[in-house]
Amino acid sequence: MQTENKIHRKVLVVDDEIVNRRLLGFIVSRDYDVLYAENGIQALEEIKSHADTLSLILLDLLMPEMDGYELLDILTHDEELRRIPVIVLTSEKSAEVQALQHGAVDFIPKPYDLPEVILARVQRSIQLAEDNILIHENERDTLTGLYTKGFFFQYARQHDKYYPDIPMDAVTININRFHLVNELHGRAYGDNILQSVAALIQEFAKNTGGLACRCDSDQFDFYLPHVENPAAVIQEFSEKFRKMTNPTKITVRIGIYQNADSGIEIEERFDRANIACSHLRNSYQTAFALYDTQLHEKELYHEKLITEMDKALSEKQFQVYYQPKYDITGNTPVLTSAEALIRWIHPQDGMISPGVFISLFERNGLIQKLDRFVWKEAAAQIRLWKEKYQKTIPVSVNVSRIDIYDPMLKQELDEILENNQLTASELLLEITESAYTENSRQIIETVSRLRESGFRIEMDDFGSGYSSLNMLTALPIDALKLDMQFVRRMTEDSKAFKMVELILDIAKFLNVPVVAEGVETEEQYQLLKKAGCEIIQGYYFSRPVPAEEFEKLIQKEESTC
Ligand code: C2E
Ligand code: CA
Ligand code: CA
């Protein structure tokens, strides 16, 4: 492979003496394509016409017309040509240093050494020059000219080493809704925006002695000496940015970890800036957030929960609670099913709500383990009640978006059913609407397969996402769970109530029942009943409760039948 490469590399031999040209050319032509020139002027012509492909120049110093030094000077001052390494040929010891000072990379003394020595020097110089180009290419992001992520972190570490006493801020800058910018205005415009942000950051970096990189498509990291009043600086930044991007009203969000602790890894310092940034929503204004002790405590707490999860599972700190769903189509509400909701009863911290840990565990995949635990518990509970009360109370379990991508999902659910001698229709599956909009094709495939084997699927939090009506008709679902926010706003806000009516209409059209969640008051209950909602879940009937308490609801139902 290597010799093959060498054959195509070009080397220019420049010497006014024909014997020298022949001799060198003969040696070098073993591994390279050789070009020849008799003096500096001829050489320059050859170099220019092979500027892209020439790998090395072997240059005699003493020549008529234009000597080697003059040529070296021209080359080193030319943006494009200075990349070509030059080895000088000389019989004078004193000329060697002078040639190196003029930009030569190496020298070969006359009379010539063994051919192998010459070839080795040629090869090494070419290799070094090419490595150098490669490094330079990888060092900078081609679109913006900022550092690439890897080099940025490396230089930031170096900076810390040289200037350990300068307090630094780690800053991360994200463009809001950048994917929309690309979609609405085209990629070229999007690139333009990225270049504008980069130019502003670069200017700032220059003035403050900071470093910056583009670390992701629309995200920039910036490491700079501590700024006392970031609000003023950001104000200036966003005004300049607004002028550049008018009239598109593109904004950025900025996370800042001030006086970044140099005792922790540089990547982690930027993670903290990112944590601060992630607390800012995509807004229509440029906004910034500082990483502070509160965020830090939250981060530590999350870390603690992650570390403790396994132990908590084995120590049975997790408990499944059940919240009833009532059919309200008749005169009196009838208990139809339940939703299984996880609770963490922590030995020190007390009851931790799923709102605290579900999204955390979703981000790192731990949710899968937890979900399987809930499914197993729920299935065993259905079985138990079935034996005790001679009827099935179907329980719905939440299926996280990551579960959907698990190729083993159906098999695992089947196993759970089999172990508890249940059929698929007894364990209901809730999938949140936003999962459908994220990757609708995959979801539709997975859900269709589950339904084919008898599972029933409820679309959770319906109305909070953006599923289009078109998509809805194509979706394989068995019930819509109306998002709680509509129920909450419905009594005060007529628009919210209209939305509820609309969703009920859609559901009728799709021929699926609607479950209204979060129903707390008589008023909400009556309104929903009148609008034609079939099933209700909420504090109005019962909070989620432990299995033993849920049994009391079953018993009450039994006694009224
Ligand atoms: P969700 O699936 O939408 O569950 C309904 C949430 O509404 C539950 O909150 C429930 O306690 C609460 N809720 C029910 N009725 C009322 C009411 O009348 N008023 C109010 N204010 N709230 C009501 P919870 O148990 O805190 O769970 C929050 C979310 O955590 C759930 O939302 C679900 O997305 C997730 N979650 C809970 N358990 C699990 C689980 O085992 N696996 C997965 N993947 N997610 C779970
Ligand atoms: Ca749910
Ligand atoms: Ca829900």
Side-chain angles (χ1 to χ4, degrees), residues 367-369 371-373 375-376 379 399 402-420 427 429 450 455:
I367 191 69
Q368 285 201 284
K369 220 170 179 179
D371 276 347
R372 272 142 199 76
F373 164 77
W375 303 345
K376 281 180 196 153
V399 177
I402 332 180
D403 295 320
I404 313 220
Y405 298 101
D406 181 356
M408 297 298 286
L409 175 65
K410 191 176 138 348
Q411 193 178 326
E412 283 167 348
L413 284 167
D414 283 340
E415 259 167 42
I416 292 175
L417 293 180
E418 199 183 308
N419 291 342
N420 294 284
L427 186 71
L429 307 178
L450 289 169
F455 284 100

PDB file of all heavy atoms in Angstrom, residues 367-369 371-373 375-376 379 399 402-420 427 429 450 455:
ATOM      1  N   ILE A 367     -34.497   3.460  32.994  1.00  0.00           N
ATOM      2  CA  ILE A 367     -35.951   3.324  33.037  1.00  0.00           C
ATOM      3  C   ILE A 367     -36.402   1.929  32.593  1.00  0.00           C
ATOM      4  O   ILE A 367     -37.406   1.409  33.085  1.00  0.00           O
ATOM      5  CB  ILE A 367     -36.624   4.405  32.148  1.00  0.00           C
ATOM      6  CG1 ILE A 367     -38.136   4.454  32.383  1.00  0.00           C
ATOM      7  CG2 ILE A 367     -36.365   4.172  30.686  1.00  0.00           C
ATOM      8  CD1 ILE A 367     -38.521   4.965  33.707  1.00  0.00           C
ATOM      9  N   GLN A 368     -35.643   1.323  31.699  1.00  0.00           N
ATOM     10  CA  GLN A 368     -36.061   0.019  31.184  1.00  0.00           C
ATOM     11  C   GLN A 368     -36.180  -1.009  32.310  1.00  0.00           C
ATOM     12  O   GLN A 368     -37.120  -1.775  32.375  1.00  0.00           O
ATOM     13  CB  GLN A 368     -35.059  -0.469  30.137  1.00  0.00           C
ATOM     14  CG  GLN A 368     -35.219   0.269  28.821  1.00  0.00           C
ATOM     15  CD  GLN A 368     -34.635  -0.509  27.667  1.00  0.00           C
ATOM     16  OE1 GLN A 368     -33.415  -0.545  27.522  1.00  0.00           O
ATOM     17  NE2 GLN A 368     -35.473  -1.148  26.881  1.00  0.00           N
ATOM     18  N   LYS A 369     -35.179  -0.968  33.182  1.00  0.00           N
ATOM     19  CA  LYS A 369     -35.157  -1.889  34.303  1.00  0.00           C
ATOM     20  C   LYS A 369     -36.358  -1.647  35.215  1.00  0.00           C
ATOM     21  O   LYS A 369     -37.025  -2.562  35.680  1.00  0.00           O
ATOM     22  CB  LYS A 369     -33.874  -1.641  35.099  1.00  0.00           C
ATOM     23  CG  LYS A 369     -33.223  -2.887  35.602  1.00  0.00           C
ATOM     24  CD  LYS A 369     -31.872  -2.513  36.126  1.00  0.00           C
ATOM     25  CE  LYS A 369     -31.164  -3.715  36.676  1.00  0.00           C
ATOM     26  NZ  LYS A 369     -29.840  -3.350  37.174  1.00  0.00           N
ATOM     27  N   ASP A 371     -39.183  -0.076  34.464  1.00  0.00           N
ATOM     28  CA  ASP A 371     -40.449  -0.403  33.796  1.00  0.00           C
ATOM     29  C   ASP A 371     -40.736  -1.904  33.874  1.00  0.00           C
ATOM     30  O   ASP A 371     -41.853  -2.317  34.170  1.00  0.00           O
ATOM     31  CB  ASP A 371     -40.408   0.036  32.326  1.00  0.00           C
ATOM     32  CG  ASP A 371     -40.781   1.503  32.179  1.00  0.00           C
ATOM     33  OD1 ASP A 371     -41.288   2.082  33.164  1.00  0.00           O
ATOM     34  OD2 ASP A 371     -40.571   2.072  31.093  1.00  0.00           O
ATOM     35  N   ARG A 372     -39.711  -2.721  33.652  1.00  0.00           N
ATOM     36  CA  ARG A 372     -39.924  -4.168  33.707  1.00  0.00           C
ATOM     37  C   ARG A 372     -40.361  -4.606  35.102  1.00  0.00           C
ATOM     38  O   ARG A 372     -41.182  -5.501  35.263  1.00  0.00           O
ATOM     39  CB  ARG A 372     -38.673  -4.922  33.253  1.00  0.00           C
ATOM     40  CG  ARG A 372     -38.685  -5.133  31.759  1.00  0.00           C
ATOM     41  CD  ARG A 372     -37.337  -5.000  31.102  1.00  0.00           C
ATOM     42  NE  ARG A 372     -37.472  -4.761  29.681  1.00  0.00           N
ATOM     43  CZ  ARG A 372     -37.829  -3.602  29.125  1.00  0.00           C
ATOM     44  NH1 ARG A 372     -38.124  -2.558  29.879  1.00  0.00           N
ATOM     45  NH2 ARG A 372     -37.906  -3.459  27.823  1.00  0.00           N
ATOM     46  N   PHE A 373     -39.786  -3.947  36.083  1.00  0.00           N
ATOM     47  CA  PHE A 373     -40.185  -4.252  37.460  1.00  0.00           C
ATOM     48  C   PHE A 373     -41.674  -3.936  37.640  1.00  0.00           C
ATOM     49  O   PHE A 373     -42.437  -4.740  38.183  1.00  0.00           O
ATOM     50  CB  PHE A 373     -39.325  -3.426  38.438  1.00  0.00           C
ATOM     51  CG  PHE A 373     -39.858  -3.361  39.831  1.00  0.00           C
ATOM     52  CD1 PHE A 373     -39.713  -4.446  40.702  1.00  0.00           C
ATOM     53  CD2 PHE A 373     -40.528  -2.228  40.291  1.00  0.00           C
ATOM     54  CE1 PHE A 373     -40.220  -4.397  41.995  1.00  0.00           C
ATOM     55  CE2 PHE A 373     -41.042  -2.174  41.576  1.00  0.00           C
ATOM     56  CZ  PHE A 373     -40.891  -3.263  42.420  1.00  0.00           C
ATOM     57  N   TRP A 375     -44.011  -3.707  35.307  1.00  0.00           N
ATOM     58  CA  TRP A 375     -44.846  -4.608  34.513  1.00  0.00           C
ATOM     59  C   TRP A 375     -45.055  -5.944  35.247  1.00  0.00           C
ATOM     60  O   TRP A 375     -46.147  -6.476  35.281  1.00  0.00           O
ATOM     61  CB  TRP A 375     -44.221  -4.878  33.132  1.00  0.00           C
ATOM     62  CG  TRP A 375     -43.971  -3.632  32.330  1.00  0.00           C
ATOM     63  CD1 TRP A 375     -44.486  -2.383  32.573  1.00  0.00           C
ATOM     64  CD2 TRP A 375     -43.128  -3.490  31.182  1.00  0.00           C
ATOM     65  NE1 TRP A 375     -44.023  -1.495  31.648  1.00  0.00           N
ATOM     66  CE2 TRP A 375     -43.193  -2.125  30.782  1.00  0.00           C
ATOM     67  CE3 TRP A 375     -42.315  -4.358  30.443  1.00  0.00           C
ATOM     68  CZ2 TRP A 375     -42.488  -1.643  29.675  1.00  0.00           C
ATOM     69  CZ3 TRP A 375     -41.623  -3.884  29.346  1.00  0.00           C
ATOM     70  CH2 TRP A 375     -41.697  -2.537  28.960  1.00  0.00           C
ATOM     71  N   LYS A 376     -43.936  -6.436  35.816  1.00  0.00           N
ATOM     72  CA  LYS A 376     -44.027  -7.731  36.520  1.00  0.00           C
ATOM     73  C   LYS A 376     -44.937  -7.625  37.735  1.00  0.00           C
ATOM     74  O   LYS A 376     -45.782  -8.476  37.976  1.00  0.00           O
ATOM     75  CB  LYS A 376     -42.631  -8.194  36.962  1.00  0.00           C
ATOM     76  CG  LYS A 376     -41.843  -8.804  35.829  1.00  0.00           C
ATOM     77  CD  LYS A 376     -40.469  -9.257  36.305  1.00  0.00           C
ATOM     78  CE  LYS A 376     -39.583  -9.485  35.089  1.00  0.00           C
ATOM     79  NZ  LYS A 376     -38.173  -9.307  35.373  1.00  0.00           N
ATOM     80  N   ALA A 379     -48.548  -7.293  36.638  1.00  0.00           N
ATOM     81  CA  ALA A 379     -49.097  -8.557  36.127  1.00  0.00           C
ATOM     82  C   ALA A 379     -49.412  -9.501  37.288  1.00  0.00           C
ATOM     83  O   ALA A 379     -50.482 -10.140  37.326  1.00  0.00           O
ATOM     84  CB  ALA A 379     -48.100  -9.208  35.163  1.00  0.00           C
ATOM     85  N   VAL A 399     -45.213   2.555  29.170  1.00  0.00           N
ATOM     86  CA  VAL A 399     -44.121   2.031  28.349  1.00  0.00           C
ATOM     87  C   VAL A 399     -43.322   3.245  27.875  1.00  0.00           C
ATOM     88  O   VAL A 399     -43.859   4.110  27.196  1.00  0.00           O
ATOM     89  CB  VAL A 399     -44.679   1.253  27.138  1.00  0.00           C
ATOM     90  CG1 VAL A 399     -43.545   0.765  26.244  1.00  0.00           C
ATOM     91  CG2 VAL A 399     -45.526   0.080  27.620  1.00  0.00           C
ATOM     92  N   ILE A 402     -37.933   4.543  25.222  1.00  0.00           N
ATOM     93  CA  ILE A 402     -36.775   3.676  24.941  1.00  0.00           C
ATOM     94  C   ILE A 402     -37.197   2.222  24.840  1.00  0.00           C
ATOM     95  O   ILE A 402     -36.590   1.445  24.114  1.00  0.00           O
ATOM     96  CB  ILE A 402     -35.689   3.729  26.039  1.00  0.00           C
ATOM     97  CG1 ILE A 402     -35.699   5.068  26.744  1.00  0.00           C
ATOM     98  CG2 ILE A 402     -34.328   3.383  25.490  1.00  0.00           C
ATOM     99  CD1 ILE A 402     -34.656   5.155  27.831  1.00  0.00           C
ATOM    100  N   ASP A 403     -38.230   1.841  25.615  1.00  0.00           N
ATOM    101  CA  ASP A 403     -38.703   0.451  25.552  1.00  0.00           C
ATOM    102  C   ASP A 403     -39.123   0.088  24.131  1.00  0.00           C
ATOM    103  O   ASP A 403     -38.956  -1.040  23.691  1.00  0.00           O
ATOM    104  CB  ASP A 403     -39.926   0.268  26.465  1.00  0.00           C
ATOM    105  CG  ASP A 403     -39.581   0.455  27.934  1.00  0.00           C
ATOM    106  OD1 ASP A 403     -38.508  -0.002  28.342  1.00  0.00           O
ATOM    107  OD2 ASP A 403     -40.388   1.054  28.671  1.00  0.00           O
ATOM    108  N   ILE A 404     -39.651   1.080  23.431  1.00  0.00           N
ATOM    109  CA  ILE A 404     -40.181   0.830  22.096  1.00  0.00           C
ATOM    110  C   ILE A 404     -39.089   0.422  21.124  1.00  0.00           C
ATOM    111  O   ILE A 404     -39.309  -0.300  20.177  1.00  0.00           O
ATOM    112  CB  ILE A 404     -40.891   2.100  21.587  1.00  0.00           C
ATOM    113  CG1 ILE A 404     -41.775   2.592  22.690  1.00  0.00           C
ATOM    114  CG2 ILE A 404     -41.569   1.873  20.240  1.00  0.00           C
ATOM    115  CD1 ILE A 404     -43.071   3.090  22.398  1.00  0.00           C
ATOM    116  N   TYR A 405     -37.880   0.909  21.383  1.00  0.00           N
ATOM    117  CA  TYR A 405     -36.770   0.569  20.489  1.00  0.00           C
ATOM    118  C   TYR A 405     -36.122  -0.755  20.864  1.00  0.00           C
ATOM    119  O   TYR A 405     -35.208  -1.209  20.196  1.00  0.00           O
ATOM    120  CB  TYR A 405     -35.715   1.685  20.511  1.00  0.00           C
ATOM    121  CG  TYR A 405     -36.262   2.995  20.029  1.00  0.00           C
ATOM    122  CD1 TYR A 405     -36.638   3.993  20.914  1.00  0.00           C
ATOM    123  CD2 TYR A 405     -36.455   3.217  18.659  1.00  0.00           C
ATOM    124  CE1 TYR A 405     -37.173   5.191  20.469  1.00  0.00           C
ATOM    125  CE2 TYR A 405     -36.991   4.406  18.214  1.00  0.00           C
ATOM    126  CZ  TYR A 405     -37.350   5.387  19.112  1.00  0.00           C
ATOM    127  OH  TYR A 405     -37.881   6.562  18.660  1.00  0.00           O
ATOM    128  N   ASP A 406     -36.572  -1.362  21.934  1.00  0.00           N
ATOM    129  CA  ASP A 406     -35.988  -2.621  22.380  1.00  0.00           C
ATOM    130  C   ASP A 406     -36.586  -3.769  21.571  1.00  0.00           C
ATOM    131  O   ASP A 406     -37.781  -4.036  21.649  1.00  0.00           O
ATOM    132  CB  ASP A 406     -36.314  -2.794  23.878  1.00  0.00           C
ATOM    133  CG  ASP A 406     -35.706  -4.074  24.429  1.00  0.00           C
ATOM    134  OD1 ASP A 406     -35.106  -4.832  23.634  1.00  0.00           O
ATOM    135  OD2 ASP A 406     -35.847  -4.310  25.641  1.00  0.00           O
ATOM    136  N   PRO A 407     -35.756  -4.458  20.781  1.00  0.00           N
ATOM    137  CA  PRO A 407     -36.295  -5.529  19.938  1.00  0.00           C
ATOM    138  C   PRO A 407     -36.896  -6.676  20.760  1.00  0.00           C
ATOM    139  O   PRO A 407     -37.668  -7.485  20.234  1.00  0.00           O
ATOM    140  CB  PRO A 407     -35.075  -5.999  19.125  1.00  0.00           C
ATOM    141  CG  PRO A 407     -33.881  -5.439  19.813  1.00  0.00           C
ATOM    142  CD  PRO A 407     -34.324  -4.240  20.599  1.00  0.00           C
ATOM    143  N   MET A 408     -36.528  -6.760  22.039  1.00  0.00           N
ATOM    144  CA  MET A 408     -37.014  -7.861  22.883  1.00  0.00           C
ATOM    145  C   MET A 408     -38.351  -7.521  23.551  1.00  0.00           C
ATOM    146  O   MET A 408     -38.896  -8.333  24.303  1.00  0.00           O
ATOM    147  CB  MET A 408     -35.986  -8.157  23.981  1.00  0.00           C
ATOM    148  CG  MET A 408     -34.645  -8.642  23.494  1.00  0.00           C
ATOM    149  SD  MET A 408     -34.822 -10.188  22.620  1.00  0.00           S
ATOM    150  CE  MET A 408     -35.123 -11.257  24.020  1.00  0.00           C
ATOM    151  N   LEU A 409     -38.864  -6.316  23.299  1.00  0.00           N
ATOM    152  CA  LEU A 409     -40.033  -5.840  24.041  1.00  0.00           C
ATOM    153  C   LEU A 409     -41.205  -6.825  24.053  1.00  0.00           C
ATOM    154  O   LEU A 409     -41.712  -7.195  25.110  1.00  0.00           O
ATOM    155  CB  LEU A 409     -40.490  -4.487  23.464  1.00  0.00           C
ATOM    156  CG  LEU A 409     -41.768  -3.918  24.065  1.00  0.00           C
ATOM    157  CD1 LEU A 409     -41.590  -3.564  25.525  1.00  0.00           C
ATOM    158  CD2 LEU A 409     -42.236  -2.668  23.300  1.00  0.00           C
ATOM    159  N   LYS A 410     -41.584  -7.283  22.860  1.00  0.00           N
ATOM    160  CA  LYS A 410     -42.765  -8.139  22.795  1.00  0.00           C
ATOM    161  C   LYS A 410     -42.509  -9.463  23.530  1.00  0.00           C
ATOM    162  O   LYS A 410     -43.349  -9.930  24.299  1.00  0.00           O
ATOM    163  CB  LYS A 410     -43.139  -8.409  21.332  1.00  0.00           C
ATOM    164  CG  LYS A 410     -44.497  -9.065  21.185  1.00  0.00           C
ATOM    165  CD  LYS A 410     -44.859  -9.230  19.748  1.00  0.00           C
ATOM    166  CE  LYS A 410     -45.491 -10.555  19.386  1.00  0.00           C
ATOM    167  NZ  LYS A 410     -45.477 -11.643  20.310  1.00  0.00           N
ATOM    168  N   GLN A 411     -41.319  -9.999  23.306  1.00  0.00           N
ATOM    169  CA  GLN A 411     -40.977 -11.265  23.963  1.00  0.00           C
ATOM    170  C   GLN A 411     -41.020 -11.124  25.491  1.00  0.00           C
ATOM    171  O   GLN A 411     -41.534 -11.992  26.195  1.00  0.00           O
ATOM    172  CB  GLN A 411     -39.591 -11.694  23.513  1.00  0.00           C
ATOM    173  CG  GLN A 411     -39.252 -13.120  23.859  1.00  0.00           C
ATOM    174  CD  GLN A 411     -37.873 -13.479  23.335  1.00  0.00           C
ATOM    175  OE1 GLN A 411     -37.448 -13.002  22.281  1.00  0.00           O
ATOM    176  NE2 GLN A 411     -37.163 -14.309  24.079  1.00  0.00           N
ATOM    177  N   GLU A 412     -40.499 -10.007  25.979  1.00  0.00           N
ATOM    178  CA  GLU A 412     -40.479  -9.797  27.430  1.00  0.00           C
ATOM    179  C   GLU A 412     -41.892  -9.680  27.993  1.00  0.00           C
ATOM    180  O   GLU A 412     -42.208 -10.253  29.042  1.00  0.00           O
ATOM    181  CB  GLU A 412     -39.665  -8.547  27.764  1.00  0.00           C
ATOM    182  CG  GLU A 412     -38.177  -8.795  27.687  1.00  0.00           C
ATOM    183  CD  GLU A 412     -37.357  -7.505  27.691  1.00  0.00           C
ATOM    184  OE1 GLU A 412     -37.939  -6.422  27.520  1.00  0.00           O
ATOM    185  OE2 GLU A 412     -36.144  -7.601  27.866  1.00  0.00           O
ATOM    186  N   LEU A 413     -42.724  -8.934  27.270  1.00  0.00           N
ATOM    187  CA  LEU A 413     -44.116  -8.797  27.722  1.00  0.00           C
ATOM    188  C   LEU A 413     -44.824 -10.156  27.685  1.00  0.00           C
ATOM    189  O   LEU A 413     -45.544 -10.520  28.619  1.00  0.00           O
ATOM    190  CB  LEU A 413     -44.855  -7.791  26.835  1.00  0.00           C
ATOM    191  CG  LEU A 413     -44.516  -6.317  27.096  1.00  0.00           C
ATOM    192  CD1 LEU A 413     -45.032  -5.432  25.976  1.00  0.00           C
ATOM    193  CD2 LEU A 413     -45.087  -5.850  28.435  1.00  0.00           C
ATOM    194  N   ASP A 414     -44.587 -10.915  26.611  1.00  0.00           N
ATOM    195  CA  ASP A 414     -45.202 -12.244  26.498  1.00  0.00           C
ATOM    196  C   ASP A 414     -44.812 -13.128  27.680  1.00  0.00           C
ATOM    197  O   ASP A 414     -45.626 -13.838  28.244  1.00  0.00           O
ATOM    198  CB  ASP A 414     -44.773 -12.927  25.192  1.00  0.00           C
ATOM    199  CG  ASP A 414     -45.530 -12.341  23.994  1.00  0.00           C
ATOM    200  OD1 ASP A 414     -46.590 -11.728  24.223  1.00  0.00           O
ATOM    201  OD2 ASP A 414     -45.057 -12.486  22.853  1.00  0.00           O
ATOM    202  N   GLU A 415     -43.523 -13.069  28.030  1.00  0.00           N
ATOM    203  CA  GLU A 415     -43.035 -13.891  29.146  1.00  0.00           C
ATOM    204  C   GLU A 415     -43.743 -13.521  30.453  1.00  0.00           C
ATOM    205  O   GLU A 415     -44.134 -14.395  31.236  1.00  0.00           O
ATOM    206  CB  GLU A 415     -41.533 -13.682  29.326  1.00  0.00           C
ATOM    207  CG  GLU A 415     -40.713 -14.813  28.735  1.00  0.00           C
ATOM    208  CD  GLU A 415     -39.239 -14.436  28.638  1.00  0.00           C
ATOM    209  OE1 GLU A 415     -38.712 -13.820  29.591  1.00  0.00           O
ATOM    210  OE2 GLU A 415     -38.639 -14.742  27.577  1.00  0.00           O
ATOM    211  N   ILE A 416     -43.887 -12.210  30.656  1.00  0.00           N
ATOM    212  CA  ILE A 416     -44.545 -11.751  31.878  1.00  0.00           C
ATOM    213  C   ILE A 416     -45.980 -12.273  31.933  1.00  0.00           C
ATOM    214  O   ILE A 416     -46.447 -12.758  32.969  1.00  0.00           O
ATOM    215  CB  ILE A 416     -44.515 -10.201  31.960  1.00  0.00           C
ATOM    216  CG1 ILE A 416     -43.070  -9.728  32.160  1.00  0.00           C
ATOM    217  CG2 ILE A 416     -45.402  -9.690  33.092  1.00  0.00           C
ATOM    218  CD1 ILE A 416     -42.886  -8.221  32.133  1.00  0.00           C
ATOM    219  N   LEU A 417     -46.659 -12.199  30.788  1.00  0.00           N
ATOM    220  CA  LEU A 417     -48.042 -12.697  30.745  1.00  0.00           C
ATOM    221  C   LEU A 417     -48.071 -14.195  31.050  1.00  0.00           C
ATOM    222  O   LEU A 417     -48.863 -14.672  31.866  1.00  0.00           O
ATOM    223  CB  LEU A 417     -48.654 -12.459  29.355  1.00  0.00           C
ATOM    224  CG  LEU A 417     -48.895 -11.001  28.954  1.00  0.00           C
ATOM    225  CD1 LEU A 417     -49.507 -10.933  27.563  1.00  0.00           C
ATOM    226  CD2 LEU A 417     -49.807 -10.302  29.961  1.00  0.00           C
ATOM    227  N   GLU A 418     -47.162 -14.914  30.405  1.00  0.00           N
ATOM    228  CA  GLU A 418     -47.137 -16.370  30.561  1.00  0.00           C
ATOM    229  C   GLU A 418     -46.879 -16.763  32.013  1.00  0.00           C
ATOM    230  O   GLU A 418     -47.561 -17.612  32.575  1.00  0.00           O
ATOM    231  CB  GLU A 418     -46.062 -16.942  29.647  1.00  0.00           C
ATOM    232  CG  GLU A 418     -46.236 -18.423  29.370  1.00  0.00           C
ATOM    233  CD  GLU A 418     -45.094 -18.929  28.518  1.00  0.00           C
ATOM    234  OE1 GLU A 418     -44.819 -18.320  27.461  1.00  0.00           O
ATOM    235  OE2 GLU A 418     -44.467 -19.926  28.924  1.00  0.00           O
ATOM    236  N   ASN A 419     -45.909 -16.079  32.637  1.00  0.00           N
ATOM    237  CA  ASN A 419     -45.590 -16.401  34.032  1.00  0.00           C
ATOM    238  C   ASN A 419     -46.768 -16.171  34.966  1.00  0.00           C
ATOM    239  O   ASN A 419     -46.824 -16.734  36.053  1.00  0.00           O
ATOM    240  CB  ASN A 419     -44.419 -15.556  34.518  1.00  0.00           C
ATOM    241  CG  ASN A 419     -43.133 -15.948  33.832  1.00  0.00           C
ATOM    242  OD1 ASN A 419     -43.049 -17.043  33.256  1.00  0.00           O
ATOM    243  ND2 ASN A 419     -42.139 -15.075  33.853  1.00  0.00           N
ATOM    244  N   ASN A 420     -47.688 -15.302  34.548  1.00  0.00           N
ATOM    245  CA  ASN A 420     -48.834 -15.010  35.407  1.00  0.00           C
ATOM    246  C   ASN A 420     -50.145 -15.526  34.825  1.00  0.00           C
ATOM    247  O   ASN A 420     -51.221 -15.159  35.302  1.00  0.00           O
ATOM    248  CB  ASN A 420     -48.928 -13.505  35.643  1.00  0.00           C
ATOM    249  CG  ASN A 420     -47.739 -12.984  36.449  1.00  0.00           C
ATOM    250  OD1 ASN A 420     -47.673 -13.177  37.651  1.00  0.00           O
ATOM    251  ND2 ASN A 420     -46.783 -12.364  35.783  1.00  0.00           N
ATOM    252  N   LEU A 427     -53.344  -6.764  30.322  1.00  0.00           N
ATOM    253  CA  LEU A 427     -52.310  -5.781  30.689  1.00  0.00           C
ATOM    254  C   LEU A 427     -52.321  -4.675  29.627  1.00  0.00           C
ATOM    255  O   LEU A 427     -51.911  -4.893  28.497  1.00  0.00           O
ATOM    256  CB  LEU A 427     -50.936  -6.457  30.733  1.00  0.00           C
ATOM    257  CG  LEU A 427     -49.764  -5.624  31.222  1.00  0.00           C
ATOM    258  CD1 LEU A 427     -49.844  -5.366  32.725  1.00  0.00           C
ATOM    259  CD2 LEU A 427     -48.436  -6.322  30.895  1.00  0.00           C
ATOM    260  N   LEU A 429     -51.245  -1.121  27.776  1.00  0.00           N
ATOM    261  CA  LEU A 429     -49.971  -0.409  27.626  1.00  0.00           C
ATOM    262  C   LEU A 429     -50.219   1.063  27.318  1.00  0.00           C
ATOM    263  O   LEU A 429     -50.974   1.387  26.411  1.00  0.00           O
ATOM    264  CB  LEU A 429     -49.160  -1.034  26.483  1.00  0.00           C
ATOM    265  CG  LEU A 429     -48.936  -2.551  26.557  1.00  0.00           C
ATOM    266  CD1 LEU A 429     -48.160  -3.032  25.330  1.00  0.00           C
ATOM    267  CD2 LEU A 429     -48.177  -2.938  27.832  1.00  0.00           C
ATOM    268  N   LEU A 450     -47.563  -5.418  18.499  1.00  0.00           N
ATOM    269  CA  LEU A 450     -48.111  -5.709  19.831  1.00  0.00           C
ATOM    270  C   LEU A 450     -49.622  -5.914  19.753  1.00  0.00           C
ATOM    271  O   LEU A 450     -50.181  -6.806  20.388  1.00  0.00           O
ATOM    272  CB  LEU A 450     -47.784  -4.563  20.797  1.00  0.00           C
ATOM    273  CG  LEU A 450     -46.327  -4.442  21.224  1.00  0.00           C
ATOM    274  CD1 LEU A 450     -46.079  -3.134  21.959  1.00  0.00           C
ATOM    275  CD2 LEU A 450     -45.939  -5.623  22.123  1.00  0.00           C
ATOM    276  N   PHE A 455     -52.410  -7.076  22.509  1.00  0.00           N
ATOM    277  CA  PHE A 455     -52.250  -5.996  23.487  1.00  0.00           C
ATOM    278  C   PHE A 455     -53.113  -4.804  23.089  1.00  0.00           C
ATOM    279  O   PHE A 455     -53.337  -4.554  21.907  1.00  0.00           O
ATOM    280  CB  PHE A 455     -50.787  -5.544  23.554  1.00  0.00           C
ATOM    281  CG  PHE A 455     -49.911  -6.499  24.301  1.00  0.00           C
ATOM    282  CD1 PHE A 455     -49.104  -7.402  23.616  1.00  0.00           C
ATOM    283  CD2 PHE A 455     -49.894  -6.506  25.687  1.00  0.00           C
ATOM    284  CE1 PHE A 455     -48.298  -8.297  24.304  1.00  0.00           C
ATOM    285  CE2 PHE A 455     -49.089  -7.400  26.383  1.00  0.00           C
ATOM    286  CZ  PHE A 455     -48.294  -8.301  25.688  1.00  0.00           C
TER     287      PHE A 455
END
